[in-house]
Amino acid sequence: MRVLYFAWVRQKVGLGQEEVSPPPAVRDVAGLVAWLSERSPGHAAAFANARTIRAAVNQDFATPDHPVAAGDEIAFFPPVTGG
């Protein structure tokens, strides 16, 4: 599973992307966020308020209950505003 981080999420995590192999219990975006939060202090800081982060699974916007699986690309980013 490839995880991409953008904007301040990337700054807090300290990585732009990483390959991860979460345990089988991680079945959706919310579970992935919870699992990622335990990987490092930077991950914990980035996901401390998960409601402020948006996700995309395979380049489609995704809700916390959206399923994830091995081979997926999951991106995390702050809400985007127009201007």
Side-chain angles (χ1 to χ4, degrees):
M1 181 179 297
R2 176 189 242 181
V3 181
L4 308 174
Y5 305 105
F6 295 94
W8 60 259
V9 181
R10 172 191 229 161
Q11 292 173 338
K12 289 185 179 193
V13 171
L15 300 167
Q17 67 179 17
E18 63 182 325
E19 296 288 329
V20 299
S21 297
V26 173
R27 295 185 178 142
D28 57 22
V29 170
L32 180 61
V33 166
W35 181 76
L36 288 169
S37 294
E38 299 174 357
R39 290 180 57 84
S40 76
H43 286 84
F47 294 110
N49 187 355
R51 300 176 103 190
T52 63
I53 297 177
R54 300 296 177 255
V57 176
N58 299 321
Q59 301 181 5
D60 288 325
F61 284 107
T63 59
D65 62 347
H66 190 285
V68 296
D72 283 347
E73 177 186 86
I74 295 87
F76 292 106
F77 48 91
V80 178
T81 60

